[in-house]
Amino acid sequence: MSEQRLIIEMAQGVDLHGRDDTKAARRAVEQALQGASLPIFGTLGLERDVMRVVVHIGVPRPEAVDVDVIAGLLPYGSVEVVVEPGGLDVPVAGDVAVMAVAALEVFLPVR
């Protein structure tokens, strides 16, 4: 089935004190979701479950991210999580804050 990317939403998230890449990634995805509204489904008469969502995450330690936690944040559609090296470890007053970036792509079938 042919599909078209219709939406891209980007955001960042930070874990200030735990050095937890999953927590920073989760916050980035939650921030991106807060900025996304998808009224297109009602306009096109589509069910939300037909969408495919690809979540790109950039964090300092990609292997430390629990992709099931991230995928569980998306309430509709089929979800793929891609975690790559990126983000930042930021020294903050004797501690390290982990910064993650996220980009959510939403694809819909072309009729």
Side-chain angles (χ1 to χ4, degrees):
M1 177 187 307
S2 182
E3 62 182 14
Q4 170 112 23
R5 181 179 60 199
L6 295 178
I7 298 156
I8 301 175
E9 192 70 42
M10 295 172 243
Q12 70 177 26
V14 178
D15 177 30
L16 289 173
H17 301 292
R19 290 188 105 163
D20 187 329
D21 291 59
T22 297
K23 184 186 275 186
R26 181 179 49 78
R27 288 179 173 168
V29 171
E30 288 169 344
Q31 184 69 33
L33 287 171
Q34 288 176 9
S37 177
L38 305 177
I40 193 166
F41 291 99
T43 303
L44 297 177
L46 294 172
E47 296 296 322
R48 285 177 164 80
D49 288 333
V50 302
M51 77 174 133
R52 183 172 70 92
V53 182
V54 180
V55 180
H56 298 273
I57 302 288
V59 290
R61 288 159 295 281
E63 69 284 350
V65 173
D66 186 334
V67 294
D68 292 331
V69 168
I70 302 305
L73 297 171
L74 286 291
Y76 304 108
S78 64
V79 179
E80 174 187 356
V81 179
V82 179
V83 187
E84 306 172 22
L88 291 171
D89 278 336
V90 182
V92 179
D95 203 351
V96 176
V98 176
M99 181 182 291
V101 293
L104 281 61
E105 297 180 285
V106 176
F107 296 84
L108 292 178
V110 177
R111 293 181 172 183

mmCIF file of all heavy atoms in Angstrom, residues 44-76:
data_model
loop_
_atom_site.group_PDB
_atom_site.id
_atom_site.type_symbol
_atom_site.label_atom_id
_atom_site.label_comp_id
_atom_site.label_asym_id
_atom_site.label_seq_id
_atom_site.Cartn_x
_atom_site.Cartn_y
_atom_site.Cartn_z
ATOM 1 N N LEU A 44 -10.787 13.336 6.520
ATOM 2 C CA LEU A 44 -10.651 12.311 5.480
ATOM 3 C C LEU A 44 -11.503 11.077 5.725
ATOM 4 O O LEU A 44 -11.538 10.174 4.897
ATOM 5 C CB LEU A 44 -9.179 11.888 5.363
ATOM 6 C CG LEU A 44 -8.192 12.975 4.938
ATOM 7 C CD1 LEU A 44 -6.774 12.433 4.939
ATOM 8 C CD2 LEU A 44 -8.554 13.533 3.570
ATOM 9 N N GLY A 45 -12.153 11.015 6.878
ATOM 10 C CA GLY A 45 -12.959 9.839 7.194
ATOM 11 C C GLY A 45 -12.128 8.600 7.446
ATOM 12 O O GLY A 45 -12.559 7.485 7.141
ATOM 13 N N LEU A 46 -10.935 8.777 8.018
ATOM 14 C CA LEU A 46 -10.044 7.653 8.307
ATOM 15 C C LEU A 46 -10.040 7.339 9.798
ATOM 16 O O LEU A 46 -10.217 8.231 10.627
ATOM 17 C CB LEU A 46 -8.601 8.005 7.903
ATOM 18 C CG LEU A 46 -8.312 8.199 6.425
ATOM 19 C CD1 LEU A 46 -6.899 8.718 6.238
ATOM 20 C CD2 LEU A 46 -8.509 6.902 5.662
ATOM 21 N N GLU A 47 -9.799 6.084 10.113
ATOM 22 C CA GLU A 47 -9.581 5.688 11.506
ATOM 23 C C GLU A 47 -8.131 5.985 11.867
ATOM 24 O O GLU A 47 -7.233 5.855 11.035
ATOM 25 C CB GLU A 47 -9.867 4.191 11.682
ATOM 26 C CG GLU A 47 -11.306 3.811 11.425
ATOM 27 C CD GLU A 47 -12.258 4.439 12.427
ATOM 28 O OE1 GLU A 47 -11.893 4.532 13.614
ATOM 29 O OE2 GLU A 47 -13.365 4.826 12.022
ATOM 30 N N ARG A 48 -7.891 6.337 13.117
ATOM 31 C CA ARG A 48 -6.538 6.660 13.558
ATOM 32 C C ARG A 48 -5.582 5.470 13.479
ATOM 33 O O ARG A 48 -4.367 5.644 13.378
ATOM 34 C CB ARG A 48 -6.573 7.221 14.971
ATOM 35 C CG ARG A 48 -7.075 8.635 15.031
ATOM 36 C CD ARG A 48 -7.158 9.129 16.469
ATOM 37 N NE ARG A 48 -7.272 10.563 16.554
ATOM 38 C CZ ARG A 48 -8.392 11.252 16.374
ATOM 39 N NH1 ARG A 48 -9.500 10.613 16.067
ATOM 40 N NH2 ARG A 48 -8.408 12.565 16.472
ATOM 41 N N ASP A 49 -6.118 4.273 13.541
ATOM 42 C CA ASP A 49 -5.257 3.093 13.523
ATOM 43 C C ASP A 49 -4.610 2.824 12.162
ATOM 44 O O ASP A 49 -3.719 1.980 12.074
ATOM 45 C CB ASP A 49 -6.032 1.859 13.990
ATOM 46 C CG ASP A 49 -6.292 1.900 15.488
ATOM 47 O OD1 ASP A 49 -5.500 2.536 16.220
ATOM 48 O OD2 ASP A 49 -7.282 1.305 15.943
ATOM 49 N N VAL A 50 -5.027 3.535 11.117
ATOM 50 C CA VAL A 50 -4.405 3.317 9.804
ATOM 51 C C VAL A 50 -3.071 4.046 9.678
ATOM 52 O O VAL A 50 -2.322 3.796 8.744
ATOM 53 C CB VAL A 50 -5.330 3.721 8.630
ATOM 54 C CG1 VAL A 50 -6.626 2.949 8.674
ATOM 55 C CG2 VAL A 50 -5.554 5.218 8.580
ATOM 56 N N MET A 51 -2.764 4.939 10.608
ATOM 57 C CA MET A 51 -1.509 5.679 10.492
ATOM 58 C C MET A 51 -0.326 4.827 10.928
ATOM 59 O O MET A 51 -0.442 3.906 11.732
ATOM 60 C CB MET A 51 -1.559 6.985 11.288
ATOM 61 C CG MET A 51 -1.402 6.869 12.767
ATOM 62 S SD MET A 51 -1.299 8.517 13.502
ATOM 63 C CE MET A 51 -2.455 8.314 14.835
ATOM 64 N N ARG A 52 0.802 5.169 10.347
ATOM 65 C CA ARG A 52 2.085 4.584 10.756
ATOM 66 C C ARG A 52 2.906 5.733 11.320
ATOM 67 O O ARG A 52 3.034 6.778 10.688
ATOM 68 C CB ARG A 52 2.799 3.944 9.575
ATOM 69 C CG ARG A 52 4.115 3.261 9.951
ATOM 70 C CD ARG A 52 4.681 2.478 8.785
ATOM 71 N NE ARG A 52 5.158 3.332 7.720
ATOM 72 C CZ ARG A 52 6.425 3.773 7.616
ATOM 73 N NH1 ARG A 52 7.332 3.471 8.519
ATOM 74 N NH2 ARG A 52 6.782 4.540 6.592
ATOM 75 N N VAL A 53 3.435 5.542 12.522
ATOM 76 C CA VAL A 53 4.209 6.584 13.186
ATOM 77 C C VAL A 53 5.641 6.094 13.353
ATOM 78 O O VAL A 53 5.873 5.005 13.882
ATOM 79 C CB VAL A 53 3.626 6.933 14.572
ATOM 80 C CG1 VAL A 53 4.426 8.055 15.222
ATOM 81 C CG2 VAL A 53 2.159 7.294 14.460
ATOM 82 N N VAL A 54 6.588 6.894 12.881
ATOM 83 C CA VAL A 54 8.000 6.601 13.091
ATOM 84 C C VAL A 54 8.531 7.651 14.058
ATOM 85 O O VAL A 54 8.416 8.848 13.803
ATOM 86 C CB VAL A 54 8.796 6.633 11.773
ATOM 87 C CG1 VAL A 54 10.270 6.320 12.040
ATOM 88 C CG2 VAL A 54 8.216 5.652 10.767
ATOM 89 N N VAL A 55 9.054 7.170 15.184
ATOM 90 C CA VAL A 55 9.599 8.044 16.213
ATOM 91 C C VAL A 55 11.118 7.956 16.144
ATOM 92 O O VAL A 55 11.689 6.889 16.346
ATOM 93 C CB VAL A 55 9.114 7.619 17.613
ATOM 94 C CG1 VAL A 55 9.685 8.538 18.679
ATOM 95 C CG2 VAL A 55 7.599 7.571 17.677
ATOM 96 N N HIS A 56 11.753 9.076 15.830
ATOM 97 C CA HIS A 56 13.215 9.151 15.813
ATOM 98 C C HIS A 56 13.658 9.810 17.113
ATOM 99 O O HIS A 56 13.156 10.871 17.466
ATOM 100 C CB HIS A 56 13.700 9.996 14.633
ATOM 101 C CG HIS A 56 13.325 9.438 13.311
ATOM 102 N ND1 HIS A 56 14.106 8.517 12.655
ATOM 103 C CD2 HIS A 56 12.256 9.669 12.516
ATOM 104 C CE1 HIS A 56 13.518 8.206 11.506
ATOM 105 N NE2 HIS A 56 12.393 8.883 11.407
ATOM 106 N N ILE A 57 14.585 9.173 17.808
ATOM 107 C CA ILE A 57 15.105 9.679 19.070
ATOM 108 C C ILE A 57 16.619 9.822 18.945
ATOM 109 O O ILE A 57 17.286 8.901 18.471
ATOM 110 C CB ILE A 57 14.813 8.699 20.235
ATOM 111 C CG1 ILE A 57 13.327 8.431 20.387
ATOM 112 C CG2 ILE A 57 15.450 9.196 21.534
ATOM 113 C CD1 ILE A 57 12.541 9.572 20.941
ATOM 114 N N GLY A 58 17.150 10.951 19.398
ATOM 115 C CA GLY A 58 18.596 11.145 19.497
ATOM 116 C C GLY A 58 18.973 11.340 20.957
ATOM 117 O O GLY A 58 18.464 12.261 21.592
ATOM 118 N N VAL A 59 19.810 10.449 21.478
ATOM 119 C CA VAL A 59 20.278 10.518 22.868
ATOM 120 C C VAL A 59 21.757 10.117 22.911
ATOM 121 O O VAL A 59 22.242 9.432 22.018
ATOM 122 C CB VAL A 59 19.475 9.597 23.817
ATOM 123 C CG1 VAL A 59 18.073 10.087 24.034
ATOM 124 C CG2 VAL A 59 19.484 8.171 23.341
ATOM 125 N N PRO A 60 22.455 10.511 23.982
ATOM 126 C CA PRO A 60 23.870 10.145 24.074
ATOM 127 C C PRO A 60 24.116 8.638 24.106
ATOM 128 O O PRO A 60 25.118 8.167 23.584
ATOM 129 C CB PRO A 60 24.325 10.803 25.388
ATOM 130 C CG PRO A 60 23.393 11.961 25.565
ATOM 131 C CD PRO A 60 22.073 11.467 25.028
ATOM 132 N N ARG A 61 23.219 7.870 24.717
ATOM 133 C CA ARG A 61 23.396 6.423 24.833
ATOM 134 C C ARG A 61 22.170 5.701 24.265
ATOM 135 O O ARG A 61 21.267 5.304 25.017
ATOM 136 C CB ARG A 61 23.597 6.044 26.316
ATOM 137 C CG ARG A 61 24.968 6.474 26.864
ATOM 138 C CD ARG A 61 24.985 6.575 28.364
ATOM 139 N NE ARG A 61 24.101 7.650 28.840
ATOM 140 C CZ ARG A 61 24.410 8.950 28.842
ATOM 141 N NH1 ARG A 61 25.580 9.350 28.406
ATOM 142 N NH2 ARG A 61 23.547 9.848 29.274
ATOM 143 N N PRO A 62 22.118 5.527 22.952
ATOM 144 C CA PRO A 62 20.936 4.911 22.326
ATOM 145 C C PRO A 62 20.580 3.547 22.903
ATOM 146 O O PRO A 62 19.403 3.212 23.043
ATOM 147 C CB PRO A 62 21.333 4.783 20.854
ATOM 148 C CG PRO A 62 22.406 5.786 20.654
ATOM 149 C CD PRO A 62 23.124 5.903 21.971
ATOM 150 N N GLU A 63 21.567 2.766 23.272
ATOM 151 C CA GLU A 63 21.310 1.423 23.792
ATOM 152 C C GLU A 63 20.611 1.452 25.152
ATOM 153 O O GLU A 63 20.038 0.454 25.586
ATOM 154 C CB GLU A 63 22.613 0.618 23.890
ATOM 155 C CG GLU A 63 23.587 1.099 24.952
ATOM 156 C CD GLU A 63 24.373 2.377 24.611
ATOM 157 O OE1 GLU A 63 24.334 2.844 23.463
ATOM 158 O OE2 GLU A 63 25.023 2.908 25.528
ATOM 159 N N ALA A 64 20.614 2.610 25.816
ATOM 160 C CA ALA A 64 19.992 2.729 27.135
ATOM 161 C C ALA A 64 18.503 3.058 27.065
ATOM 162 O O ALA A 64 17.824 3.059 28.085
ATOM 163 C CB ALA A 64 20.715 3.811 27.948
ATOM 164 N N VAL A 65 17.985 3.330 25.872
ATOM 165 C CA VAL A 65 16.582 3.716 25.737
ATOM 166 C C VAL A 65 15.698 2.476 25.630
ATOM 167 O O VAL A 65 15.950 1.588 24.811
ATOM 168 C CB VAL A 65 16.372 4.631 24.508
ATOM 169 C CG1 VAL A 65 14.896 4.900 24.277
ATOM 170 C CG2 VAL A 65 17.125 5.939 24.702
ATOM 171 N N ASP A 66 14.671 2.431 26.434
ATOM 172 C CA ASP A 66 13.681 1.355 26.399
ATOM 173 C C ASP A 66 12.659 1.704 25.311
ATOM 174 O O ASP A 66 11.766 2.518 25.526
ATOM 175 C CB ASP A 66 13.004 1.222 27.763
ATOM 176 C CG ASP A 66 12.056 0.037 27.850
ATOM 177 O OD1 ASP A 66 11.531 -0.402 26.796
ATOM 178 O OD2 ASP A 66 11.820 -0.434 28.971
ATOM 179 N N VAL A 67 12.795 1.091 24.146
ATOM 180 C CA VAL A 67 11.934 1.442 23.011
ATOM 181 C C VAL A 67 10.474 1.065 23.263
ATOM 182 O O VAL A 67 9.572 1.696 22.716
ATOM 183 C CB VAL A 67 12.440 0.827 21.684
ATOM 184 C CG1 VAL A 67 13.774 1.426 21.291
ATOM 185 C CG2 VAL A 67 12.508 -0.671 21.740
ATOM 186 N N ASP A 68 10.228 0.075 24.106
ATOM 187 C CA ASP A 68 8.843 -0.287 24.426
ATOM 188 C C ASP A 68 8.152 0.826 25.217
ATOM 189 O O ASP A 68 6.964 1.096 25.016
ATOM 190 C CB ASP A 68 8.788 -1.597 25.204
ATOM 191 C CG ASP A 68 9.216 -2.790 24.358
ATOM 192 O OD1 ASP A 68 9.022 -2.741 23.126
ATOM 193 O OD2 ASP A 68 9.749 -3.748 24.931
ATOM 194 N N VAL A 69 8.884 1.482 26.104
ATOM 195 C CA VAL A 69 8.330 2.618 26.850
ATOM 196 C C VAL A 69 7.973 3.740 25.884
ATOM 197 O O VAL A 69 6.890 4.325 25.961
ATOM 198 C CB VAL A 69 9.328 3.116 27.918
ATOM 199 C CG1 VAL A 69 8.910 4.467 28.488
ATOM 200 C CG2 VAL A 69 9.456 2.086 29.034
ATOM 201 N N ILE A 70 8.863 4.012 24.946
ATOM 202 C CA ILE A 70 8.622 5.094 23.983
ATOM 203 C C ILE A 70 7.445 4.738 23.081
ATOM 204 O O ILE A 70 6.546 5.555 22.867
ATOM 205 C CB ILE A 70 9.893 5.385 23.152
ATOM 206 C CG1 ILE A 70 11.057 5.759 24.067
ATOM 207 C CG2 ILE A 70 9.619 6.454 22.118
ATOM 208 C CD1 ILE A 70 10.820 6.903 25.017
ATOM 209 N N ALA A 71 7.409 3.540 22.549
ATOM 210 C CA ALA A 71 6.308 3.117 21.675
ATOM 211 C C ALA A 71 4.976 3.182 22.409
ATOM 212 O O ALA A 71 3.947 3.528 21.819
ATOM 213 C CB ALA A 71 6.557 1.712 21.137
ATOM 214 N N GLY A 72 4.976 2.881 23.694
ATOM 215 C CA GLY A 72 3.755 2.899 24.485
ATOM 216 C C GLY A 72 3.156 4.283 24.674
ATOM 217 O O GLY A 72 2.000 4.410 25.087
ATOM 218 N N LEU A 73 3.903 5.325 24.355
ATOM 219 C CA LEU A 73 3.389 6.694 24.472
ATOM 220 C C LEU A 73 2.450 7.069 23.334
ATOM 221 O O LEU A 73 1.701 8.031 23.440
ATOM 222 C CB LEU A 73 4.552 7.697 24.508
ATOM 223 C CG LEU A 73 5.500 7.576 25.694
ATOM 224 C CD1 LEU A 73 6.712 8.473 25.481
ATOM 225 C CD2 LEU A 73 4.783 7.916 26.982
ATOM 226 N N LEU A 74 2.519 6.320 22.232
ATOM 227 C CA LEU A 74 1.715 6.633 21.052
ATOM 228 C C LEU A 74 0.425 5.836 21.112
ATOM 229 O O LEU A 74 0.451 4.608 21.074
ATOM 230 C CB LEU A 74 2.472 6.307 19.770
ATOM 231 C CG LEU A 74 3.602 7.252 19.373
ATOM 232 C CD1 LEU A 74 3.111 8.592 18.961
ATOM 233 C CD2 LEU A 74 4.719 7.339 20.342
ATOM 234 N N PRO A 75 -0.713 6.518 21.184
ATOM 235 C CA PRO A 75 -1.972 5.820 21.425
ATOM 236 C C PRO A 75 -2.605 5.169 20.199
ATOM 237 O O PRO A 75 -3.504 4.343 20.346
ATOM 238 C CB PRO A 75 -2.883 6.926 21.966
ATOM 239 C CG PRO A 75 -2.353 8.172 21.345
ATOM 240 C CD PRO A 75 -0.868 7.964 21.228
ATOM 241 N N TYR A 76 -2.154 5.523 18.998
ATOM 242 C CA TYR A 76 -2.809 5.027 17.782
ATOM 243 C C TYR A 76 -1.776 4.594 16.754
ATOM 244 O O TYR A 76 -0.647 5.061 16.751
ATOM 245 C CB TYR A 76 -3.677 6.112 17.139
ATOM 246 C CG TYR A 76 -4.713 6.687 18.041
ATOM 247 C CD1 TYR A 76 -4.590 7.973 18.554
ATOM 248 C CD2 TYR A 76 -5.842 5.952 18.402
ATOM 249 C CE1 TYR A 76 -5.553 8.516 19.383
ATOM 250 C CE2 TYR A 76 -6.808 6.481 19.237
ATOM 251 C CZ TYR A 76 -6.663 7.760 19.719
ATOM 252 O OH TYR A 76 -7.613 8.292 20.549
#
